Amino acid sequence: MNESGLAQQLLNLIGGKQNINQVWHCATRLRFTLKDRAKVPKDKIEALDGVITVVEASGQFQVVIGNNVGDVYHEVVKLEPSLSEGETSGETAAQGKMTFKSAFNSLLTFISGVFTPFLGAMAGAGILKGLLSLAVVMGWLTAKSGAYQIWWAAADGIFYFLPIALAFTAAKQLKVNQFVSMAIAAAMVSPGIVALGAKATTIDFFGIPVVPANYTATVLPILLVVVVQKFLEPVFNKLWHESVRNIMAPLCLLVVIVPLTLIVVGPISATVSSWLATAIVSLNKSVPILAGLVLGGFWQVIVIFGVHWALVPVMMNNIAQNGTDLMMPILLPAVLSQAGAALAVFLRTRDAKMKSLAGSSTITALFGITEPTIYGITLKLKKPFYLACVAGAVGGMIVVISGAGANAAALASVLSLPTFIGKGFGLSVVGDVVAFALGTVLTYFFGGINAGAKDKTAPSVNSELGEALAAPVKGVLVPLTGLADEVFASETMGKGVAIVPENGMVKAPVAGVIRLLYPTGHAIGIQSDKGSEILIHIGIDTVNLKGKHFQPLVAQGQHVEIGTPLVQFDHEAIEKEGYESTVMMIVTNSDQYQIATLGQGATDDRPVMTLA
């Protein structure tokens, strides 16, 4: 479906301008504040071709489109100009009461949203990482071989430079200069800073001691930095005259934010990481069962906030000092539970795009790369993420009871199992299997995944009775495919007929309920008593007239009979304004029928289509 068709269908399902307080867009989402959420069929919107999913958070109804969201937004505004960004349809946009739950969900939604544009690249790189690890374990390649090093660079690059990619997408969402954000992120992962971070070398910034942290593959630091940029950028834009603003504002942002990041964000990240490592090590020694629950259940949360790297040297030190590390096996259930949740989404959903992403994400998670799974599937859908955490906690506690340990440092994945061979290995495998199976089962049955089932609240189509549609206006019947409007001519929105009007009265072609009535009067939607969904559109591009020459005669929600006057319009005046006045009647759920068009020539409120 093209952007025009998707925008039209979104407006139809949401209830048109009269049900929208405000609409705007970020990098991937159309964000609506609605007057009556109960009127909007979420499942039908999620089923639209071009819609990835629907998210409800912070009082917003968010339709996730992807990279072309801007084009869809512009088509929405073209259909309803009064909904342009920053304007409302007569009421102040509802912000919704801020609660801890809504704030947390908003944070997760934002973090997930910034990953959407490059999930495919992450998934492909994750699979390549897993295959390379398998090749080393099987002896097909060595880590020092040229082929391994080249392919490892291809697989690791997107993860190593993750802050740069995140800077671009986060800046797009927050509407700040994307390339300045990327420049800041590039400074954070520059070779010199990475080397200083690895050695914990203290440097001096005008008397302020700075200990750079390692920001490669981190998520939260750069997101916080872009939020800071959101506040500072308008200040510097106002400071400089427009003749030099494009140069001087970015200069000021780089001069201020990069040191601020290294002085403030770095130490905070390092401190949080140190506290976390100390707490988990102490917990593992004093209350092992609780450590299994925490590590197995919350490890992926720790990964999201980018402070998990503090535990890597702890685990490596344990192996060097004691020959084994007890924490590494506990992490595997956390990983496998996410893989199980992704598998459940793959099995449950009927959305082709989601199924494809869930399938590849299952594989990457099994190989230990959970980012595509978390940000593309489980965290985005929320419930699967929470349920996977529960499954990971159960598996983690079983692994702790086993007493299994890792004898070598490795990425927590199915490929790391050989490093756990020894004491308690068998029971630890049981914990891994339980985590994977439980993550799958819980998500499949309780994950709230839209399986694509028919909306039970919608009236069913009775094909045995069939239905005849009368002409909505008297005039000359012409082929829909011959219209100048590509959306109608391509039958993207459904099959139908077009009529060149001889008068200015549109009447109901069937008995049913008015489900959609544009304030401009140029379009009206009817749901017939037998289940057909009909859109009547008067003229081409007549939305631009903003209601001029149109007079609606019915109200939304009103039941009408065949022949009930719906809209009065002045077709001659419309044509003098330079617009076509052709009336289109579209069956928007035409895929459920066999449709036949009756006759040609002039119509006189007689049947022009049959549905069977």
Side-chain angles (χ1 to χ4, degrees):
M1 183 185 301
N2 60 29
E3 289 81 5
S4 299
L6 178 56
Q8 182 73 70
Q9 291 212 29
L10 281 172
L11 284 174
N12 292 348
L13 291 171
I14 285 175
K17 171 189 172 183
Q18 59 269 31
N19 195 36
I20 300 173
N21 282 324
Q22 190 176 23
V23 59
W24 67 103
H25 74 90
C26 58
T28 60
R29 304 155 188 251
L30 282 175
R31 297 173 178 262
F32 296 89
T33 54
L34 304 175
K35 296 178 183 178
D36 189 352
R37 164 62 184 88
K39 294 180 180 179
V40 182
K42 179 179 177 181
D43 290 348
K44 288 187 177 182
I45 292 178
E46 287 183 323
L48 291 177
D49 182 18
V51 172
I52 298 173
T53 188
V54 172
V55 177
E56 295 182 73
S58 300
Q60 299 171 14
F61 189 84
Q62 303 172 9
V63 182
V64 183
I65 304 295
N67 291 339
N68 64 334
V69 65
D71 296 331
V72 177
Y73 169 77
H74 289 307
E75 292 299 328
V76 168
V77 173
K78 188 182 295 184
L79 292 170
E80 289 291 356
S82 62
L83 294 177
S84 59
E85 196 156 5
E87 297 181 13
T88 66
S89 60
E91 294 184 19
T92 302
Q95 296 300 316
K97 183 179 180 180
M98 180 62 69
T99 63
F100 174 79
K101 181 179 179 181
S102 65
F104 183 69
N105 283 339
S106 296
L107 175 62
L108 295 186
T109 298
F110 172 72
I111 293 174
S112 176
V114 297
F115 280 82
T116 301
F118 55 90
L119 281 175
M122 285 183 65
I127 291 176
L128 181 54
K129 266 193 171 185
L131 292 175
L132 288 172
S133 299
L134 178 62
V136 171
V137 171
M138 299 300 294
W140 301 332
L141 290 174
T142 65
K144 294 182 179 180
S145 67
Y148 177 90
Q149 293 181 57
I150 290 173
W151 278 331
W152 184 259
D156 191 52
I158 186 67
F159 297 102
Y160 186 92
F161 294 106
L162 186 60
I164 298 178
L166 289 172
F168 184 84
T169 54
K172 190 172 183 180
Q173 283 207 32
L174 296 181
K175 299 177 183 177
V176 295
N177 190 311
Q178 293 164 273
F179 296 99
V180 171
S181 301
M182 292 174 66
I184 296 169
M188 293 167 62
V189 296
S190 64
I193 296 298
V194 171
L196 291 171
K199 298 177 182 178
T201 302
T202 301
I203 56 178
D204 178 85
F205 183 78
F206 295 106
I208 302 174
V210 180
V211 182
N214 185 358
Y215 296 103
T216 61
T218 59
V219 173
L220 189 59
I222 186 59
L223 298 183
L224 293 175
V225 167
V226 176
V227 171
V228 172
Q229 181 185 347
K230 173 71 173 179
F231 289 97
L232 291 181
E233 188 170 292
V235 175
F236 290 126
N237 283 337
K238 290 180 181 179
L239 180 64
W240 297 100
H241 187 269
E242 61 182 9
S243 61
V244 294
R245 182 180 300 150
N246 290 340
I247 298 174
M248 298 307 296
L251 170 62
C252 292
L253 288 169
L254 290 172
V255 168
V256 172
I257 295 181
V258 172
L260 185 65
T261 299
L262 300 181
I263 294 170
V264 178
V265 177
I268 290 176
S269 297
T271 301
V272 172
S273 297
S274 177
W275 288 348
L276 181 66
T278 302
I280 291 179
V281 170
S282 300
L283 189 64
N284 193 39
K285 290 181 178 179
S286 57
V287 192
I289 292 293
L290 187 57
L293 185 150
V294 171
L295 281 177
F298 295 97
W299 178 250
Q300 297 302 336
V301 178
I302 294 171
V303 170
I304 288 173
F305 288 95
V307 293
H308 59 295
W309 296 109
L311 293 176
V312 174
V314 173
M315 290 184 282
M316 294 182 69
N317 183 69
N318 288 341
I319 294 172
Q321 297 294 323
N322 307 316
T324 59
D325 172 65
L326 299 178
M327 285 192 290
M328 179 66 71
I330 306 173
L331 305 183
L332 186 52
V335 171
L336 296 181
S337 64
Q338 295 291 331
L343 177 61
V345 174
F346 173 79
L347 296 173
R348 182 77 170 162
T349 186
R350 294 182 185 175
D351 180 88
K353 292 182 179 178
M354 180 62 75
K355 185 178 286 290
S356 175
L357 183 59
S360 64
S361 296
T362 302
I363 297 173
T364 62
L366 288 173
F367 284 142
I369 309 299
T370 56
E371 286 89 347
T373 303
I374 294 173
Y375 300 114
I377 305 293
T378 60
L379 188 63
K380 181 164 65 176
L381 299 178
K382 291 187 174 65
K383 282 186 179 179
F385 181 79
Y386 303 145
L387 294 172
C389 289
V390 171
V394 174
M397 287 189 290
I398 295 174
V399 171
V400 164
I401 293 172
S402 75
N407 55 34
L411 184 69
S413 72
V414 292
L415 300 177
S416 64
L417 282 171
T419 67
F420 305 159
I421 294 176
K423 176 187 175 182
F425 176 71
L427 186 56
S428 73
V429 172
V430 171
D432 298 333
V433 173
V434 167
F436 179 80
L438 193 58
T440 303
V441 172
L442 289 177
T443 303
Y444 188 90
F445 289 106
F446 307 107
I449 304 164
N450 175 25
K454 188 176 180 180
D455 185 357
K456 295 180 181 179
T457 63
S460 61
V461 176
N462 191 335
S463 58
E464 293 182 1
L465 294 177
E467 191 159 24
L469 306 186
V473 67
K474 184 178 180 179
V476 178
L477 201 65
V478 297
L480 189 66
T481 53
L483 296 179
D485 188 284
E486 181 182 348
V487 175
F488 294 111
S490 64
E491 298 185 335
T492 298
M493 298 181 61
K495 296 183 181 300
V497 296
I499 301 171
V500 179
E502 294 180 357
N503 62 35
M505 182 62 71
V506 172
K507 299 180 180 180
V510 292
V513 177
I514 305 299
R515 294 298 187 192
L516 173 67
L517 178 62
Y518 281 81
T520 56
H522 76 287
I524 188 167
I526 306 174
Q527 186 174 69
S528 81
D529 294 338
K530 293 183 178 180
S532 60
E533 298 171 0
I534 300 158
L535 173 68
I536 299 173
H537 196 285
I538 306 169
I540 295 176
D541 292 331
T542 48
V543 66
N544 297 327
L545 293 174
K546 299 181 179 179
K548 188 179 180 181
H549 310 309
F550 294 93
Q551 179 59 50
L553 304 175
V554 291
Q556 186 164 323
Q558 179 180 334
H559 189 277
V560 297
E561 302 296 335
I562 296 177
T564 299
L566 303 178
V567 179
Q568 187 172 4
F569 66 103
D570 189 337
H571 66 97
E572 293 180 349
I574 290 172
E575 291 170 359
K576 287 180 181 179
E577 295 268 9
Y579 296 92
E580 286 190 36
S581 62
T582 304
V583 177
M584 285 75 71
M585 180 170 66
I586 311 297
V587 181
T588 57
N589 62 340
S590 57
D591 58 335
Q592 300 180 29
Y593 297 96
Q594 291 182 347
I595 298 178
T597 302
L598 306 177
Q600 296 289 332
T603 63
D604 189 13
D605 300 335
R606 63 190 180 189
V608 291
M609 295 177 66
T610 59
L611 312 180

